[in-house]
Amino acid sequence: MSRGGGGGGRGRSHGNYTNPCLTMHQPWASLLVYGIKRIEGRSWPAPIRGRLWIHAASKVPEEATIKAMEDFYKEIYAVNGITEIKFPKHYPVSRLLGCVEVVGCVRREELASWEAVPEGARLEGQTDFCWLCEEPQKLLVPFEMRGYQGVYNLEKKIYEAAVRGLAPVKGPMPVKFPLPNPRNRFSLKPGSVLMQLPEKASEVEKSSSLTAAIAGARAAANQFNKKVQEPLVNTVQNTNSNSGRSDQVNRKALEVHREPSVSNETEQSNCIKCEKSRCGQTRPDMKRLHGGPAKIFAAAVRELKFS
């Protein structure tokens, strides 16, 4: 397929995206970039096809969460006879990690019954919509940047620095998802697989250990559904009341500082908290911060080449 959108993957993305990026919580972000996670679960359908950059949010993952997700992937890969999985040694936060190719999006029930897809991959679909991901690539040197809600465009300086530092990753068992119409990249969309399925499609049988691993993964994802906004709301309101600012200013400040309650597997809103030292900065101010990380990244890549 032709390369377009400023070099943003195999062809131009759908909509107004040129180099689309998604902020995700750890450990899900690294698992996706390392090719271990092949399905990105959401409560909304994928708005793009082609390259999707992956950014890790600021929340440091708990050891229990990491263990639950690693156990989950050990079990689902074991269904296909794969017992050796090389998990990431570290799960960095507030970093751009790499990218994947989003080739389609189907509903959970479609993926569960899609016999053209390996059994383990079918078990990854635990949410309403399943984004089908291929061709993971990771950055040799992940660098710091801010994230935003939903799918957003990488700024030009960030993209130009990042695209030079990508390295392909081979996951434990890559999947090629067949497009119903190879000439239409959006032919693999919710509802398109149902037409191909037999009346009684088989589902994967679950052992007790697999069932427990799935339950643990769901619990790990659901922990991000807890609301964490209240202390932040109180802090901003108290600050503004002392300075005599209006309610309109309060609302604007909350829009800058709010980090929604999110689940990597189930929620659309994905963003990171502002650092304390930069709390007063709005999005235009954030843009001026990107030059530094990009230069640091470029220098780090040069050191890797000549070391």
Side-chain angles (χ1 to χ4, degrees), residues 27-28 31 37 64-76 123-127 209-225 263-266:
W28 295 273
L31 291 171
K37 178 177 168 63
T65 301
I66 295 174
K67 184 180 185 304
M69 295 313 303
E70 290 184 351
D71 287 347
F72 170 71
Y73 282 101
K74 287 177 184 177
E75 288 291 337
I76 66 171
L123 290 168
E124 289 189 56
Q126 300 292 324
T127 54
S209 59
L210 177 58
T211 301
I214 292 174
R218 285 177 175 172
N222 288 336
Q223 69 175 303
F224 293 106
N225 286 329
S263 165
N264 180 70
E265 298 292 332
T266 59

Side-chain angles (χ1 to χ4, degrees), residues 10 257 261:
R10 302 180 304 177
H257 292 277
S261 171

